[in-house]
CSV table of all heavy atoms in Angstrom, one decimal:
chain,number,residue,atom,x,y,z
A,943,MET,N,2.9,10.8,-6.0
A,943,MET,CA,3.9,9.8,-6.2
A,943,MET,C,3.9,8.9,-5.1
A,943,MET,O,4.0,9.3,-3.9
A,943,MET,CB,5.2,10.5,-6.5
A,943,MET,CG,6.2,9.5,-7.0
A,943,MET,SD,7.8,10.3,-7.6
A,943,MET,CE,7.3,11.7,-8.5
A,944,PRO,N,3.9,7.5,-5.3
A,944,PRO,CA,4.0,6.6,-4.2
A,944,PRO,C,5.3,6.6,-3.4
A,944,PRO,O,6.3,7.0,-4.0
A,944,PRO,CB,3.8,5.2,-4.9
A,944,PRO,CG,3.4,5.5,-6.3
A,944,PRO,CD,3.8,6.9,-6.6
A,945,ARG,N,5.2,6.3,-2.2
A,945,ARG,CA,6.3,6.2,-1.3
A,945,ARG,C,6.6,4.7,-1.0
A,945,ARG,O,5.7,4.0,-0.7
A,945,ARG,CB,6.1,6.9,0.0
A,945,ARG,CG,5.9,8.4,-0.2
A,945,ARG,CD,5.7,9.1,1.1
A,945,ARG,NE,6.8,9.0,2.0
A,945,ARG,CZ,7.9,9.8,2.0
A,945,ARG,NH1,7.9,10.8,1.2
A,945,ARG,NH2,8.9,9.7,2.9
A,946,TYR,N,7.8,4.3,-1.1
A,946,TYR,CA,8.2,2.9,-0.9
A,946,TYR,C,9.2,2.9,0.3
A,946,TYR,O,10.0,3.7,0.4
A,946,TYR,CB,8.9,2.3,-2.2
A,946,TYR,CG,7.9,2.3,-3.3
A,946,TYR,CD1,7.9,3.3,-4.3
A,946,TYR,CD2,7.0,1.3,-3.5
A,946,TYR,CE1,7.0,3.3,-5.3
A,946,TYR,CE2,6.1,1.2,-4.5
A,946,TYR,CZ,6.1,2.2,-5.5
A,946,TYR,OH,5.2,2.2,-6.5
A,947,GLU,N,9.1,1.8,1.1
A,947,GLU,CA,9.9,1.7,2.3
A,947,GLU,C,10.9,0.6,2.0
A,947,GLU,O,10.6,-0.5,1.4
A,947,GLU,CB,9.0,1.3,3.5
A,947,GLU,CG,9.8,1.4,4.8
A,947,GLU,CD,8.8,1.1,5.9
A,947,GLU,OE1,7.7,0.6,5.8
A,947,GLU,OE2,9.2,1.5,7.1
A,948,TYR,N,12.2,0.9,2.4
A,948,TYR,CA,13.3,-0.1,2.2
A,948,TYR,C,14.0,-0.3,3.5
A,948,TYR,O,14.0,0.6,4.3
A,948,TYR,CB,14.3,0.5,1.1
A,948,TYR,CG,13.7,0.7,-0.2
A,948,TYR,CD1,13.0,1.9,-0.5
A,948,TYR,CD2,13.8,-0.2,-1.2
A,948,TYR,CE1,12.4,2.1,-1.8
A,948,TYR,CE2,13.2,0.0,-2.5
A,948,TYR,CZ,12.5,1.1,-2.8
A,948,TYR,OH,12.0,1.3,-4.0
A,949,ARG,N,14.8,-1.4,3.5
A,949,ARG,CA,15.7,-1.6,4.6
A,949,ARG,C,17.0,-2.0,4.1
A,949,ARG,O,17.1,-2.8,3.2
A,949,ARG,CB,15.2,-2.8,5.5
A,949,ARG,CG,16.2,-3.1,6.7
A,949,ARG,CD,15.6,-3.9,7.8
A,949,ARG,NE,14.6,-3.2,8.4
A,949,ARG,CZ,13.5,-3.7,8.9
A,949,ARG,NH1,13.3,-5.0,8.8
A,949,ARG,NH2,12.6,-3.0,9.5
A,950,CYS,N,18.1,-1.4,4.7
A,950,CYS,CA,19.5,-1.7,4.3
A,950,CYS,C,19.9,-3.0,5.0
A,950,CYS,O,19.8,-3.0,6.2
A,950,CYS,CB,20.4,-0.5,4.6
A,950,CYS,SG,22.1,-0.8,4.2
A,951,ARG,N,20.4,-4.0,4.3
A,951,ARG,CA,20.9,-5.2,4.9
A,951,ARG,C,22.2,-5.0,5.6
A,951,ARG,O,22.6,-5.7,6.5
A,951,ARG,CB,21.0,-6.3,3.9
A,951,ARG,CG,19.7,-6.8,3.4
A,951,ARG,CD,19.9,-7.9,2.3
A,951,ARG,NE,18.6,-8.3,1.8
A,951,ARG,CZ,18.5,-9.1,0.8
A,951,ARG,NH1,19.5,-9.6,0.1
A,951,ARG,NH2,17.3,-9.5,0.4
A,952,ALA,N,23.0,-4.0,5.1
A,952,ALA,CA,24.3,-3.7,5.7
A,952,ALA,C,24.3,-3.0,7.0
A,952,ALA,O,25.0,-3.5,8.0
A,952,ALA,CB,25.2,-2.9,4.7
A,953,CYS,N,23.5,-2.0,7.1
A,953,CYS,CA,23.4,-1.2,8.4
A,953,CYS,C,22.1,-1.3,9.1
A,953,CYS,O,22.0,-0.8,10.3
A,953,CYS,CB,23.9,0.2,8.1
A,953,CYS,SG,22.7,1.2,7.1
A,954,GLY,N,21.1,-1.9,8.5
A,954,GLY,CA,19.8,-2.0,9.2
A,954,GLY,C,18.9,-0.8,9.2
A,954,GLY,O,17.8,-0.8,9.7
A,955,THR,N,19.3,0.3,8.5
A,955,THR,CA,18.5,1.5,8.4
A,955,THR,C,17.3,1.2,7.6
A,955,THR,O,17.3,0.6,6.5
A,955,THR,CB,19.3,2.6,7.7
A,955,THR,OG1,20.5,2.8,8.5
A,955,THR,CG2,18.5,3.9,7.5
A,956,THR,N,16.1,1.7,8.0
A,956,THR,CA,14.9,1.7,7.3
A,956,THR,C,14.7,3.1,6.7
A,956,THR,O,14.8,4.1,7.5
A,956,THR,CB,13.7,1.3,8.2
A,956,THR,OG1,14.0,0.0,8.7
A,956,THR,CG2,12.4,1.2,7.4
A,957,PHE,N,14.3,3.2,5.4
A,957,PHE,CA,14.1,4.5,4.8
A,957,PHE,C,13.1,4.4,3.8
A,957,PHE,O,12.6,3.4,3.4
A,957,PHE,CB,15.5,5.0,4.2
A,957,PHE,CG,16.0,4.1,3.2
A,957,PHE,CD1,15.8,4.4,1.8
A,957,PHE,CD2,16.8,3.0,3.5
A,957,PHE,CE1,16.4,3.6,0.8
A,957,PHE,CE2,17.3,2.2,2.5
A,957,PHE,CZ,17.1,2.5,1.2
A,958,GLU,N,12.5,5.6,3.4
A,958,GLU,CA,11.5,5.7,2.4
A,958,GLU,C,12.0,6.5,1.2
A,958,GLU,O,12.8,7.4,1.3
A,958,GLU,CB,10.3,6.4,3.0
A,958,GLU,CG,9.6,5.6,4.0
A,958,GLU,CD,8.3,6.3,4.6
A,958,GLU,OE1,8.1,7.5,4.2
A,958,GLU,OE2,7.6,5.7,5.3
A,959,LEU,N,11.5,6.2,0.0
A,959,LEU,CA,11.7,6.9,-1.2
A,959,LEU,C,10.4,7.1,-1.9
A,959,LEU,O,9.6,6.3,-2.0
A,959,LEU,CB,12.7,6.1,-2.1
A,959,LEU,CG,14.1,5.9,-1.7
A,959,LEU,CD1,14.8,5.0,-2.8
A,959,LEU,CD2,14.8,7.3,-1.6
A,960,SER,N,10.3,8.3,-2.5
A,960,SER,CA,9.1,8.6,-3.4
A,960,SER,C,9.6,8.5,-4.8
A,960,SER,O,10.6,9.1,-5.2
A,960,SER,CB,8.7,10.1,-3.2
A,960,SER,OG,8.1,10.2,-1.9
A,961,ARG,N,9.0,7.6,-5.5
A,961,ARG,CA,9.4,7.3,-6.9
A,961,ARG,C,8.2,6.8,-7.7
A,961,ARG,O,7.2,6.3,-7.1
A,961,ARG,CB,10.5,6.4,-7.0
A,961,ARG,CG,10.3,5.1,-6.2
A,961,ARG,CD,11.4,4.0,-6.3
A,961,ARG,NE,12.7,4.5,-6.4
A,961,ARG,CZ,13.8,3.7,-6.4
A,961,ARG,NH1,13.6,2.4,-6.4
A,961,ARG,NH2,15.0,4.2,-6.5
A,962,PRO,N,8.2,7.0,-9.0
A,962,PRO,CA,7.1,6.5,-9.8
A,962,PRO,C,6.9,5.0,-9.7
A,962,PRO,O,7.9,4.3,-9.4
A,962,PRO,CB,7.5,6.9,-11.3
A,962,PRO,CG,8.6,7.9,-11.1
A,962,PRO,CD,9.2,7.7,-9.8
A,963,MET,N,5.7,4.5,-9.9
A,963,MET,CA,5.4,3.1,-9.8
A,963,MET,C,6.3,2.3,-10.8
A,963,MET,O,6.7,1.2,-10.5
A,963,MET,CB,4.0,2.8,-10.1
A,963,MET,CG,3.1,3.3,-8.9
A,963,MET,SD,1.3,3.0,-9.2
A,963,MET,CE,1.2,1.3,-9.1
A,964,ALA,N,6.6,2.9,-11.9
A,964,ALA,CA,7.4,2.2,-13.0
A,964,ALA,C,8.8,2.0,-12.4
A,964,ALA,O,9.5,1.1,-13.0
A,964,ALA,CB,7.5,3.1,-14.2
A,965,GLU,N,9.3,2.7,-11.4
A,965,GLU,CA,10.6,2.5,-10.8
A,965,GLU,C,10.6,1.8,-9.5
A,965,GLU,O,11.6,1.8,-8.8
A,965,GLU,CB,11.3,3.9,-10.7
A,965,GLU,CG,11.5,4.6,-12.0
A,965,GLU,CD,12.1,6.0,-11.8
A,965,GLU,OE1,12.6,6.3,-10.7
A,965,GLU,OE2,12.1,6.8,-12.7
A,966,SER,N,9.4,1.2,-9.1
A,966,SER,CA,9.3,0.6,-7.8
A,966,SER,C,10.3,-0.6,-7.6
A,966,SER,O,10.7,-0.8,-6.5
A,966,SER,CB,7.9,0.1,-7.5
A,966,SER,OG,7.5,-0.9,-8.4
A,967,ALA,N,10.7,-1.3,-8.6
A,967,ALA,CA,11.6,-2.4,-8.5
A,967,ALA,C,13.0,-2.0,-8.7
A,967,ALA,O,13.9,-2.9,-8.6
A,967,ALA,CB,11.2,-3.5,-9.5
A,968,ALA,N,13.3,-0.8,-9.0
A,968,ALA,CA,14.7,-0.3,-9.3
A,968,ALA,C,15.5,-0.4,-8.0
A,968,ALA,O,14.9,-0.2,-6.9
A,968,ALA,CB,14.7,1.1,-9.9
A,969,PRO,N,16.8,-0.6,-8.1
A,969,PRO,CA,17.6,-0.7,-6.9
A,969,PRO,C,17.6,0.7,-6.1
A,969,PRO,O,17.4,1.7,-6.7
A,969,PRO,CB,19.0,-0.9,-7.4
A,969,PRO,CG,18.8,-1.5,-8.8
A,969,PRO,CD,17.5,-0.9,-9.3
A,970,ALA,N,17.7,0.6,-4.8
A,970,ALA,CA,17.7,1.8,-4.0
A,970,ALA,C,18.9,1.8,-3.0
A,970,ALA,O,19.1,0.8,-2.4
A,970,ALA,CB,16.4,1.9,-3.2
A,971,SER,N,19.6,2.8,-3.0
A,971,SER,CA,20.8,2.9,-2.0
A,971,SER,C,20.3,3.6,-0.7
A,971,SER,O,19.4,4.5,-0.7
A,971,SER,CB,21.9,3.8,-2.6
A,971,SER,OG,22.4,3.2,-3.7
A,972,CYS,N,20.8,3.1,0.4
A,972,CYS,CA,20.4,3.7,1.7
A,972,CYS,C,21.1,5.0,1.9
A,972,CYS,O,22.0,5.3,1.1
A,972,CYS,CB,20.7,2.7,2.8
A,972,CYS,SG,22.4,2.8,3.5
A,973,PRO,N,20.6,5.8,2.8
A,973,PRO,CA,21.2,7.1,3.0
A,973,PRO,C,22.7,7.1,3.4
A,973,PRO,O,23.4,8.1,3.1
A,973,PRO,CB,20.4,7.7,4.2
A,973,PRO,CG,19.1,7.0,4.2
A,973,PRO,CD,19.4,5.6,3.7
A,974,SER,N,23.2,5.9,3.9
A,974,SER,CA,24.6,5.8,4.1
A,974,SER,C,25.4,5.4,2.9
A,974,SER,O,26.6,5.2,3.0
A,974,SER,CB,24.8,4.8,5.3
A,974,SER,OG,24.2,5.3,6.5
A,975,GLY,N,24.7,5.1,1.8
A,975,GLY,CA,25.4,4.7,0.6
A,975,GLY,C,25.5,3.3,0.3
A,975,GLY,O,26.1,2.9,-0.7
A,976,HIS,N,24.9,2.4,1.1
A,976,HIS,CA,25.0,1.0,0.9
A,976,HIS,C,24.0,0.6,-0.2
A,976,HIS,O,22.9,1.2,-0.3
A,976,HIS,CB,24.7,0.2,2.1
A,976,HIS,CG,25.6,0.5,3.3
A,976,HIS,ND1,25.1,1.0,4.5
A,976,HIS,CD2,26.9,0.4,3.4
A,976,HIS,CE1,26.1,1.2,5.3
A,976,HIS,NE2,27.2,0.8,4.7
A,977,ASP,N,24.3,-0.4,-1.0
A,977,ASP,CA,23.5,-0.8,-2.1
A,977,ASP,C,22.7,-2.1,-1.8
A,977,ASP,O,21.8,-2.4,-2.6
A,977,ASP,CB,24.3,-1.0,-3.4
A,977,ASP,CG,24.8,0.3,-4.0
A,977,ASP,OD1,24.2,1.3,-3.8
A,977,ASP,OD2,25.9,0.3,-4.5
A,978,ASP,N,23.0,-2.8,-0.7
A,978,ASP,CA,22.3,-4.0,-0.4
A,978,ASP,C,21.0,-3.7,0.4
A,978,ASP,O,21.0,-3.8,1.6
A,978,ASP,CB,23.2,-4.9,0.4
A,978,ASP,CG,22.7,-6.3,0.6
A,978,ASP,OD1,21.7,-6.7,-0.1
A,978,ASP,OD2,23.3,-7.1,1.4
A,979,THR,N,20.0,-3.4,-0.4
A,979,THR,CA,18.7,-3.0,0.3
A,979,THR,C,17.6,-3.9,-0.2
A,979,THR,O,17.7,-4.5,-1.3
A,979,THR,CB,18.3,-1.5,0.0
A,979,THR,OG1,18.2,-1.3,-1.4
A,979,THR,CG2,19.4,-0.6,0.6
A,980,VAL,N,16.5,-4.0,0.5
A,980,VAL,CA,15.3,-4.7,0.1
A,980,VAL,C,14.1,-3.8,0.3
A,980,VAL,O,14.0,-3.0,1.3
A,980,VAL,CB,15.1,-6.0,1.0
A,980,VAL,CG1,16.2,-7.1,0.6
A,980,VAL,CG2,15.1,-5.8,2.4
A,981,LYS,N,13.1,-4.0,-0.6
A,981,LYS,CA,11.9,-3.2,-0.5
A,981,LYS,C,11.0,-3.9,0.5
A,981,LYS,O,10.8,-5.2,0.4
A,981,LYS,CB,11.2,-3.1,-1.8
A,981,LYS,CG,10.0,-2.2,-1.8
A,981,LYS,CD,9.5,-1.8,-3.2
A,981,LYS,CE,8.8,-3.0,-3.8
A,981,LYS,NZ,8.0,-2.6,-5.0
A,982,LEU,N,10.4,-3.2,1.4
A,982,LEU,CA,9.5,-3.8,2.5
A,982,LEU,C,8.1,-3.7,2.0
A,982,LEU,O,7.7,-2.9,1.2
A,982,LEU,CB,9.7,-3.0,3.8
A,982,LEU,CG,11.1,-3.0,4.4
A,982,LEU,CD1,11.1,-2.1,5.6
A,982,LEU,CD2,11.6,-4.4,4.7
A,983,LEU,N,7.3,-4.7,2.5
A,983,LEU,CA,5.9,-4.7,2.3
A,983,LEU,C,5.2,-3.7,3.3
A,983,LEU,O,5.3,-4.0,4.5
A,983,LEU,CB,5.3,-6.1,2.4
A,983,LEU,CG,3.8,-6.2,2.2
A,983,LEU,CD1,3.4,-5.8,0.8
A,983,LEU,CD2,3.4,-7.6,2.5
A,984,SER,N,4.7,-2.6,2.8
A,984,SER,CA,4.1,-1.6,3.7
A,984,SER,C,2.6,-1.9,3.8
A,984,SER,O,2.0,-2.3,2.9
A,984,SER,CB,4.4,-0.2,3.2
A,984,SER,OG,5.7,0.0,3.1
A,985,THR,N,2.1,-1.7,5.0
A,985,THR,CA,0.7,-1.8,5.2
A,985,THR,C,0.1,-0.4,5.4
A,985,THR,O,0.8,0.5,5.9
A,985,THR,CB,0.4,-2.6,6.4
A,985,THR,OG1,1.0,-2.1,7.6
A,985,THR,CG2,0.9,-4.1,6.2
A,986,VAL,N,-1.1,-0.2,5.1
A,986,VAL,CA,-1.8,1.0,5.2
A,986,VAL,C,-3.0,0.8,6.1
A,986,VAL,O,-3.8,-0.1,6.0
A,986,VAL,CB,-2.3,1.5,3.8
A,986,VAL,CG1,-3.1,2.8,4.0
A,986,VAL,CG2,-1.2,1.7,2.9
A,987,ALA,N,-3.1,1.7,7.1
A,987,ALA,CA,-4.3,1.6,8.0
A,987,ALA,C,-5.1,2.9,7.8
A,987,ALA,O,-4.6,4.0,7.7
A,987,ALA,CB,-3.8,1.6,9.5
A,988,VAL,N,-6.4,2.6,7.5
A,988,VAL,CA,-7.3,3.7,7.3
A,988,VAL,C,-8.4,3.7,8.4
A,988,VAL,O,-9.0,2.6,8.6
A,988,VAL,CB,-8.0,3.6,5.9
A,988,VAL,CG1,-9.0,4.7,5.6
A,988,VAL,CG2,-6.9,3.6,4.8
A,989,GLY,N,-8.6,4.8,9.0
A,989,GLY,CA,-9.6,4.8,10.1
A,989,GLY,C,-10.5,6.0,9.9
A,989,GLY,O,-10.3,6.8,9.0
A,990,GLY,N,-11.5,6.1,10.7
A,990,GLY,CA,-12.4,7.2,10.7
A,990,GLY,C,-13.8,6.7,10.6
A,990,GLY,O,-14.1,5.5,10.7
A,991,SER,N,-14.7,7.6,10.4
A,991,SER,CA,-16.1,7.3,10.3
A,991,SER,C,-16.7,8.2,9.2
A,991,SER,O,-16.3,9.3,9.0
A,991,SER,CB,-16.8,7.5,11.6
A,991,SER,OG,-16.8,8.8,12.0
A,992,ALA,N,-17.7,7.6,8.7
A,992,ALA,CA,-18.5,8.4,7.6
A,992,ALA,C,-19.8,8.8,8.3
A,992,ALA,O,-20.8,8.1,8.2
A,992,ALA,CB,-18.7,7.5,6.4
A,993,ARG,N,-19.8,9.9,9.0
A,993,ARG,CA,-21.0,10.3,9.7
A,993,ARG,C,-22.1,10.7,8.7
A,993,ARG,O,-21.8,11.5,7.8
A,993,ARG,CB,-20.7,11.5,10.6
A,993,ARG,CG,-19.7,11.1,11.7
A,993,ARG,CD,-19.4,12.3,12.5
A,993,ARG,NE,-18.3,12.0,13.4
A,993,ARG,CZ,-18.4,11.9,14.7
A,993,ARG,NH1,-19.6,12.0,15.3
A,993,ARG,NH2,-17.3,11.6,15.4
A,994,GLY,N,-23.2,10.2,8.9
A,994,GLY,CA,-24.4,10.5,8.0
A,994,GLY,C,-24.4,9.7,6.7
A,994,GLY,O,-25.3,9.8,5.9
A,995,ALA,N,-23.4,9.0,6.4
A,995,ALA,CA,-23.3,8.2,5.2
A,995,ALA,C,-24.1,6.9,5.3
A,995,ALA,O,-24.0,6.3,6.4
A,995,ALA,CB,-21.9,8.0,4.7
A,996,GLN,N,-24.8,6.5,4.3
A,996,GLN,CA,-25.6,5.3,4.4
A,996,GLN,C,-25.3,4.6,3.1
A,996,GLN,O,-25.1,5.1,2.0
A,996,GLN,CB,-27.1,5.6,4.6
A,996,GLN,CG,-27.4,6.2,5.9
A,996,GLN,CD,-28.9,6.5,6.0
A,996,GLN,OE1,-29.7,6.2,5.1
A,996,GLN,NE2,-29.3,7.0,7.1
A,997,ALA,N,-25.5,3.2,3.2
A,997,ALA,CA,-25.3,2.4,1.9
A,997,ALA,C,-26.6,2.7,1.1
A,997,ALA,O,-27.6,2.9,1.6
A,997,ALA,CB,-25.3,1.0,2.3
A,998,PRO,N,-26.4,2.7,-0.2
A,998,PRO,CA,-27.5,2.9,-1.1
A,998,PRO,C,-28.5,1.8,-1.0
A,998,PRO,O,-28.2,0.7,-0.8
A,998,PRO,CB,-26.9,3.0,-2.5
A,998,PRO,CG,-25.6,2.3,-2.4
A,998,PRO,CD,-25.1,2.5,-1.0
A,999,ALA,N,-29.8,2.2,-1.1
A,999,ALA,CA,-30.9,1.2,-1.1
A,999,ALA,C,-30.9,0.4,-2.3
A,999,ALA,O,-30.5,0.9,-3.4
A,999,ALA,CB,-32.2,1.9,-0.9
A,1000,PRO,N,-31.3,-0.9,-2.3
A,1000,PRO,CA,-31.3,-1.7,-3.5
A,1000,PRO,C,-32.4,-1.2,-4.4
A,1000,PRO,O,-33.4,-0.7,-4.0
A,1000,PRO,CB,-31.7,-3.1,-2.9
A,1000,PRO,CG,-32.2,-2.9,-1.5
A,1000,PRO,CD,-31.6,-1.6,-1.1
A,1001,SER,N,-32.1,-1.3,-5.7
A,1001,SER,CA,-33.1,-0.8,-6.7
A,1001,SER,C,-34.3,-1.8,-6.7
A,1001,SER,O,-34.2,-2.9,-6.4
A,1001,SER,CB,-32.4,-0.7,-8.1
A,1001,SER,OG,-32.0,-2.0,-8.5
A,1002,GLY,N,-35.4,-1.2,-7.1
A,1002,GLY,CA,-36.6,-2.1,-7.3
A,1002,GLY,C,-37.5,-2.0,-6.0
A,1002,GLY,O,-38.6,-2.6,-6.1
A,1003,GLY,N,-37.1,-1.3,-5.0
A,1003,GLY,CA,-38.0,-1.1,-3.9
A,1003,GLY,C,-38.0,-2.3,-2.9
A,1003,GLY,O,-37.3,-3.3,-3.1
A,1004,ALA,N,-38.8,-2.3,-1.9
A,1004,ALA,CA,-38.9,-3.4,-0.9
A,1004,ALA,C,-39.4,-4.7,-1.5
A,1004,ALA,O,-40.3,-4.7,-2.4
A,1004,ALA,CB,-39.8,-2.9,0.2
A,1005,GLY,N,-38.8,-5.8,-1.2
A,1005,GLY,CA,-39.2,-7.1,-1.6
A,1005,GLY,C,-38.8,-7.4,-3.0
A,1005,GLY,O,-39.3,-8.3,-3.6
A,1006,ALA,N,-37.9,-6.7,-3.6
A,1006,ALA,CA,-37.5,-6.9,-5.0
A,1006,ALA,C,-36.4,-7.9,-5.2
A,1006,ALA,O,-35.9,-8.1,-6.2
A,1006,ALA,CB,-37.0,-5.6,-5.6
A,1007,GLY,N,-36.0,-8.6,-4.1
A,1007,GLY,CA,-34.9,-9.5,-4.2
A,1007,GLY,C,-33.7,-9.0,-3.6
A,1007,GLY,O,-33.5,-7.8,-3.5
A,1008,GLY,N,-32.8,-9.8,-3.1
A,1008,GLY,CA,-31.7,-9.4,-2.3
A,1008,GLY,C,-30.4,-9.2,-3.0
A,1008,GLY,O,-29.5,-8.6,-2.4
A,1009,GLY,N,-30.1,-9.6,-4.1
A,1009,GLY,CA,-28.7,-9.5,-4.6
A,1009,GLY,C,-27.9,-10.6,-4.0
A,1009,GLY,O,-28.2,-11.8,-4.2
A,1010,GLY,N,-26.8,-10.3,-3.3
A,1010,GLY,CA,-26.0,-11.3,-2.7
A,1010,GLY,C,-25.3,-12.1,-3.8
A,1010,GLY,O,-25.0,-11.6,-4.9
A,1011,CYS,N,-25.1,-13.4,-3.5
A,1011,CYS,CA,-24.3,-14.2,-4.4
A,1011,CYS,C,-25.0,-14.6,-5.7
A,1011,CYS,O,-24.4,-14.9,-6.7
A,1011,CYS,CB,-23.8,-15.5,-3.7
A,1011,CYS,SG,-25.2,-16.6,-3.2
A,1012,CYS,N,-26.3,-14.6,-5.7
A,1012,CYS,CA,-27.0,-15.0,-6.9
A,1012,CYS,C,-28.1,-14.1,-7.3
A,1012,CYS,O,-29.0,-14.4,-8.1
A,1012,CYS,CB,-27.6,-16.4,-6.6
A,1012,CYS,SG,-28.8,-16.4,-5.2
A,1013,GLY,N,-28.0,-12.8,-6.9
A,1013,GLY,CA,-29.0,-11.9,-7.3
A,1013,GLY,C,-30.4,-12.0,-6.7
A,1013,GLY,O,-31.4,-11.4,-7.2
A,1014,GLY,N,-30.5,-12.9,-5.7
A,1014,GLY,CA,-31.8,-13.1,-5.1
A,1014,GLY,C,-32.7,-14.1,-5.8
A,1014,GLY,O,-33.8,-14.4,-5.3
A,1015,GLY,N,-32.3,-14.7,-6.9
A,1015,GLY,CA,-33.1,-15.6,-7.6
A,1015,GLY,C,-33.3,-17.0,-7.0
A,1015,GLY,O,-34.3,-17.6,-7.1
A,1016,CYS,N,-32.2,-17.5,-6.3
A,1016,CYS,CA,-32.3,-18.8,-5.8
A,1016,CYS,C,-32.1,-18.8,-4.3
A,1016,CYS,O,-32.2,-19.9,-3.7
A,1016,CYS,CB,-31.4,-19.7,-6.5
A,1016,CYS,SG,-29.6,-19.3,-6.2
A,1017,CYS,N,-31.8,-17.7,-3.7
A,1017,CYS,CA,-31.6,-17.7,-2.2
A,1017,CYS,C,-33.0,-17.4,-1.6
A,1017,CYS,O,-33.7,-16.5,-1.9
A,1017,CYS,CB,-30.6,-16.5,-1.9
A,1017,CYS,SG,-29.0,-16.8,-2.6
A,1018,GLY,N,-33.2,-18.2,-0.6
A,1018,GLY,CA,-34.6,-18.1,-0.1
A,1018,GLY,C,-34.8,-17.4,1.2
A,1018,GLY,O,-35.7,-17.2,1.7
């Protein structure tokens, strides 16, 4: 279930709620009971490495064209 972050305009408390996506726009009361809250735009940071992982080789073997924006047909 997604977690949404909110801030209370009355007391400044920032809090999170787990709720279904269908209820993401529903009003949320802060832990102190205030109803004047706003949903914050949360960012997600993903880090790490994929050791040993490689991008798949293009199909058709070497010299078969590059893909890219036009499939290799007009890019020189």
Side-chain angles (χ1 to χ4, degrees):
M943 191 172 314
R945 295 181 63 87
Y946 297 97
E947 191 173 18
Y948 298 86
R949 176 167 295 142
C950 178
R951 291 180 181 169
C953 66
T955 301
T956 300
F957 60 99
E958 294 181 349
L959 290 177
S960 295
R961 51 174 40 176
M963 289 176 71
E965 296 178 15
S966 66
S971 295
C972 85
S974 298
H976 303 119
D977 292 327
D978 189 11
T979 60
V980 291
K981 186 167 76 167
L982 302 176
L983 178 62
S984 298
T985 57
V986 176
V988 179
S991 63
R993 295 176 192 252
Q996 296 179 356
S1001 61
C1011 66
C1012 58
C1016 63
C1017 298

